[in-house]
Amino acid sequence: MNALIAIDWGTTAARAYALDGAGTVTGTRSAPLGVQNVQDGRFAEALAALLGDWHDDPAPRIACGMIGSRQGWIEAPYVACPAQLPDLVAGLVHVPGSRLTIVPGVRTRDAYDVPDVMRGEETQIAGAIAARDERVLCALPGTHSKWACVDAGRLVDFLSFMTGEMWGVLLKHSILGRLAAPAAEGSEPGPAFGSGVARGLGPGNLAHDVFGARTLALMGELAAEDVADWLSGMMIAREIRNAGTWAHRHGYDGARVRLVGADALVARYAAAMHQADIAVEVAGSNAAAQGLWRIATLAGIVSSPTKSSGASSA
């Protein structure tokens, strides 16, 4: 019998997890039903479609991600950083007329007092980093990648990079894409990726360096099918370089990073980090589910687990 149904509900996709009384994931469901794909606020119908035959399961439900944004089902206001698990619990919002509870996002401000936000990543961090782990620098690759400093269950600060979205926009809507062959979805990084990483790890200016994806192709030094790979490597490496500088200012070791995720994009970040001589640890793919379980347990939504479920943080 399910003890909890946990949902990682993002912008383009949603994934549901069934967890038993020990906090173990026993099943998953996914669908392209992110908040931007749900028409006219029909979130209840989208949830039913996502859950399928789990829809009638009496287990409580908890969700994180963009479902709690202003464009989502109901807004779960951001909690301030630094933040810990009890802060997320205090910010939980219940969806009226349903059995769904939504986790809040987290907000911070950078050195220039410009706000930064995350939704969903705070829950992944909660599932990927144990409360006993001290001074962990973690990276969460994505359309808008996040880097976070976490210390003993406390999300100290974080920083966002639009690397993924910028890469897509540059290839699809700028001159850089005119000489590029379509990028293969989830492709393994090749030699061109490594060349891009080498460029991105060095000094330079991003607005200038991206133009190299065109000029290298024009000069016949980069094949059309390698343009996207080179640009990916260069931009990811520049993100890693800048994030390392940011982490150093916070007193964190940029030479050791915990990657949260388990997809092809995470593999690219890991490859770039290895090339930069950064020690990498990759967290499990169920970080969001485990984070939702820990939040639900602390909130009393589910009973305490019958066995230890590992990490607890954020």
Side-chain angles (χ1 to χ4, degrees):
M1 185 174 70
N2 295 326
L4 181 71
I5 294 176
I7 304 154
D8 183 5
W9 203 332
T11 301
T12 59
R15 180 178 293 272
Y17 304 84
L19 294 95
D20 64 17
T24 301
V25 174
T26 59
T28 63
R29 303 279 170 83
S30 62
L33 291 170
V35 297
Q36 72 175 14
N37 298 330
V38 178
Q39 302 299 316
D40 303 319
R42 297 162 67 176
F43 293 105
E45 294 178 27
L47 180 59
L50 172 66
L51 297 184
D53 59 4
W54 293 353
H55 184 63
D56 295 326
D57 191 310
R61 303 166 183 177
I62 187 170
C64 66
M66 291 301 289
I67 192 62
S69 69
R70 291 178 188 176
Q71 295 76 42
W73 200 338
I74 188 172
E75 185 174 8
Y78 296 105
V79 300
C81 194
Q84 300 182 79
L85 210 60
D87 300 311
L88 298 180
V89 170
L92 290 173
V93 172
H94 180 72
V95 177
S98 78
R99 287 182 282 126
L100 183 66
T101 299
I102 297 179
V103 178
V106 180
R107 57 180 167 82
T108 189
R109 286 183 175 270
D110 67 15
Y112 301 95
D113 201 35
V114 176
D116 200 343
V117 296
M118 62 165 59
R119 280 196 187 276
E121 293 90 356
E122 73 296 319
T123 303
Q124 290 179 280
I125 291 169
I129 302 177
R132 62 180 177 274
D133 293 344
E134 297 182 348
R135 305 188 71 76
V136 176
L137 175 63
C138 70
L140 301 96
T143 303
H144 302 156
S145 299
K146 309 292 181 182
W147 288 70
C149 296
V150 185
D151 185 29
R154 182 169 173 261
L155 176 55
V156 177
D157 201 6
F158 64 89
L159 185 69
S160 299
F161 290 87
M162 290 183 65
T163 304
E165 184 167 2
M166 287 176 62
W167 176 82
V169 169
L170 286 169
L171 285 175
K172 294 176 182 177
H173 302 292
S174 84
I175 197 171
L176 298 186
R178 294 184 184 178
L179 295 178
E185 188 71 25
S187 61
E188 292 289 325
F193 178 83
S195 297
V197 169
R199 180 69 188 95
L201 291 175
N205 183 288
L206 183 64
H208 164 72
D209 296 337
V210 295
F211 197 60
R214 175 170 173 78
T215 55
L216 286 169
L218 277 173
M219 298 299 118
E221 299 173 37
L222 193 63
E225 58 269 23
D226 292 331
V227 170
D229 232 14
W230 186 92
L231 186 63
S232 171
M234 191 279 290
M235 295 182 71
I236 288 173
R238 188 55 53 85
E239 175 187 323
I240 290 169
R241 186 170 181 263
N242 291 338
T245 301
W246 169 82
H248 181 73
R249 289 201 299 266
H250 281 70
Y252 279 67
D253 182 9
R256 182 175 298 276
V257 175
R258 186 170 304 181
L259 273 169
V260 181
D263 58 12
L265 185 57
V266 169
R268 285 178 171 267
Y269 274 72
M273 289 178 187
H274 287 310
Q275 191 169 330
D277 294 324
I278 295 172
V280 176
E281 177 186 359
V282 179
S285 59
N286 288 337
Q290 295 303 322
L292 286 165
W293 172 261
R294 287 163 197 135
I295 293 167
T297 300
L298 186 59
I301 294 172
V302 294
S303 301
S304 298
T306 57
K307 69 177 183 180
S308 174
S309 56
S312 177
S313 95

